[in-house]
């Protein structure tokens, strides 16, 4: 997946400048106006978190909600050079079962020296269960870190422009791209003083809950905001024979609309027999809505007695949440 290219010339020395074309990206020109711009204000702090990826808050374009994902240390199979890569992600809530959304888009990073965006053009067929485009590599990480063109005052700017959307459905419609002012978001990552919280949800009546479509934990507080774990015991409409598990901000929390936290979370189903817990950890995400995994754990594995995930009537889920920064609209 992706389009990373390894270049020994790119890593020879701090004074050597490699043309953008050698990384497989192109200049989009000074008239290029993206639909979405994401300003990461503390890039070195982002790297220090160790997060494999970070995903923006949602932005709207032509009837769909989208996210931009940044993967700061992406490596192609067999390649040794880590690249900064981008992905376009539509919200699952925007997609309709049986429809395929064919998108043509441009992913870019802003070159302050040239005063323009530089990136690549891409296409992807999104559908109900395929919501992440391929990774598209823009620049070697080490080149970005020593660059005065792409990284200014520890800040860099990533962007996406959506050029065309066609929907394969019974109606077979083309979506008109509505040009509006660029949507801007800022991401701030702390380098210390993280707020951490843990909540353990013990269900002693899991066989009863297993008959329900959706169940939620009691609310708990981390970082001055209320959260809850949401579970679909037999999977939600996005899953395939799996339990679905999410972490949500409580809708009744009055702080939800006033600020957006940036967090990393781990959700676990505890192995009550062997202590070999099943866990999944997110990248950094802007906490404007729920986040999690539709295919968290296969139902067969969940109910296997040797796994220890369901013992008698008991099932235990644990959430670990670390708030590492904040996000606002530019």
């Amino acid at each position: 997946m992706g389009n990373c290219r390894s270049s020994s010339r790119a890593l020879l020395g701090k004074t050597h400048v490699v043309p953008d074309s050698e990384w497989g990206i192109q200049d989009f020109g000074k008239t290029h106006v993206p639909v979405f711009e994401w300003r990461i204000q503390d890039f070195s702090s982002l790297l220090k978190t160790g997060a494999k990826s970070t995903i923006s808050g949602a932005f709207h374009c032509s009837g769909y909600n989208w996210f931009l994902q940044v993967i700061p240390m992406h490596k192609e199979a067999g390649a040794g050079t880590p690249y900064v890569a981008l992905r376009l992600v539509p919200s699952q809530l925007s997609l309709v079962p049986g429809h395929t959304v064919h998108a043509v888009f441009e992913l870019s990073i802003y070159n302050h020296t040239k005063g323009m965006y530089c990136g690549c053009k891409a296409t992807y067929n999104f559908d109900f269960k395929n919501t992440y485009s391929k990774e598209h590599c823009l620049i070697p990480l080490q080149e970005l870190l020593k660059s005065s063109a792409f990284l200014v005052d520890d800040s860099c700017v990533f962007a996406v422009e959506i050029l065309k959307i066609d929907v394969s459905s019974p109606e077979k419609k083309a979506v008109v791209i509505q040009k509006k002012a660029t949507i801007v978001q800022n991401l701030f990552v702390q380098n210390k003083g993280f707020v951490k919280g843990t909540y353990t949800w013990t269900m002693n009546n899991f066989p009863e809950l297993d008959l329900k479509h959706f169940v939620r934990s009691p609310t708990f507080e981390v970082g001055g905001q209320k959260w809850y774990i949401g579970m679909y015991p037999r999977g939600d409409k996005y899953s395939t024979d799996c339990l679905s598990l999410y972490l949500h901000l409580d809708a009744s929390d009055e702080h939800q609309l006033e600020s957006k936290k940036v967090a990393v979370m781990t959700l676990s189903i505890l192995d009550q027999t062997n202590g070999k817990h099943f866990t999944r950890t997110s990248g950094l995400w802007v906490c404007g809505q729920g986040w999690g995994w539709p295919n968290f754990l296969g139902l067969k594995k969940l109910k296997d007695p040797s796994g220890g995930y369901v013992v008698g009537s008991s099932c235990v889920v644990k959430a670990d949440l670390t708030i590492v920064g904040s996000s606002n609209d530019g």
Side-chain angles (χ1 to χ4, degrees):
M1 297 178 72
N3 64 342
C4 298
R5 300 177 60 192
S6 180
S7 170
S8 59
R9 287 180 61 200
L11 303 174
L12 288 177
K14 291 189 176 182
T15 59
H16 181 67
V17 178
V18 179
D20 297 344
S21 59
E22 187 155 326
W23 305 328
I25 62 177
Q26 59 181 307
D27 295 342
F28 287 150
K30 294 189 177 182
T31 60
H32 177 82
V33 179
V35 66
F36 177 69
E37 183 180 277
W38 198 19
R39 302 171 181 171
I40 298 181
Q41 304 291 350
D42 310 282
F43 193 78
S44 62
S45 295
L46 170 63
L47 294 177
K48 289 177 183 177
T49 68
K52 293 182 179 180
S53 67
T54 181
I55 197 159
S56 71
F59 62 94
H60 188 81
C61 178
S62 301
Y64 295 88
N65 285 328
W66 306 84
F67 303 91
L68 181 61
Q69 184 185 49
V70 175
I71 307 167
M73 293 179 283
H74 177 69
K75 286 186 178 182
E76 290 282 80
T81 302
Y83 270 70
V84 178
L86 302 185
R87 269 175 153 179
L88 182 63
V89 185
S91 168
Q92 284 182 315
L93 299 178
S94 295
L95 301 177
V96 178
H99 289 199
T100 298
V101 177
H102 177 74
V104 182
F105 52 94
E106 293 171 333
L107 301 171
S108 60
I109 183 172
Y110 190 72
N111 186 319
H112 293 269
T113 301
K114 294 182 177 181
M116 66 179 69
Y117 296 92
C118 306
C120 61
K121 186 176 181 179
T123 64
Y124 196 75
N125 292 326
F126 299 101
D127 60 43
F128 205 53
K129 294 188 177 182
N130 294 284
T131 57
Y132 284 79
S133 76
K134 293 182 178 181
E135 303 96 339
H136 293 275
C137 300
L138 298 187
I139 181 173
L141 174 60
Q142 292 304 316
E143 284 296 319
L144 174 63
L145 293 178
K146 65 189 179 185
S147 170
S148 60
F150 297 106
L151 189 67
V152 177
D153 295 330
D154 203 23
S155 173
C156 52
V157 180
F158 299 100
V160 57
E161 169 66 334
I162 298 176
L163 302 173
K164 184 180 180 181
I165 299 174
D166 291 312
V167 181
S168 298
S169 67
E171 298 81 16
K172 294 185 178 179
K173 62 178 182 178
V175 177
V176 177
I177 303 298
Q178 301 169 345
K179 294 300 294 182
K180 296 183 178 180
T182 301
I183 301 165
V184 178
Q185 292 179 14
N186 295 290
L187 177 70
F188 303 91
V189 182
Q190 303 164 206
N191 58 20
K192 60 181 179 179
F194 298 158
V195 177
K196 298 184 179 183
T198 297
Y199 178 76
T200 301
W201 180 23
T202 301
M203 294 163 278
N204 292 316
N205 59 338
F206 188 75
E208 297 176 24
L209 299 178
D210 189 38
L211 300 176
K212 298 182 179 181
H213 175 63
F214 175 77
V215 293
R216 55 172 286 176
S217 73
T219 58
F220 59 96
E221 187 171 311
V222 178
Q225 293 187 293
K226 296 176 182 177
W227 311 78
Y228 68 90
I229 302 167
M231 174 190 288
Y232 296 82
R234 297 188 177 186
D236 62 13
K237 60 184 179 180
Y238 309 108
S239 68
T240 304
D241 299 323
C242 289
L243 175 143
S244 304
L245 201 61
Y246 301 89
L247 184 66
H248 296 266
L249 270 174
D250 192 280
S252 64
D253 188 350
E254 63 181 3
H255 298 292
Q256 181 177 354
L257 299 177
E258 297 174 6
S259 63
K260 294 181 180 179
K261 306 293 187 183
V262 175
V264 59
M265 68 163 174
T266 297
L267 295 179
S268 308
I269 296 182
L270 303 191
D271 176 352
Q272 302 172 66
T273 303
N274 311 298
K276 298 179 180 179
H277 310 317
F278 185 86
T279 67
R280 291 188 185 272
T281 300
S282 72
L284 269 61
W285 57 289
V286 178
C287 307
Q289 61 175 22
W291 202 262
W293 295 269
N295 295 300
F296 185 84
L297 177 64
L299 296 177
K300 185 176 179 180
K301 186 174 182 179
L302 171 70
K303 297 177 180 180
D304 184 345
S306 66
Y309 302 122
V310 179
V311 177
S313 299
S314 175
C315 180
V316 183
V317 175
K318 181 183 177 186
D320 294 284
L321 181 66
T322 302
I323 298 172
V324 301
S326 62
S327 174
N328 62 31
D329 296 332

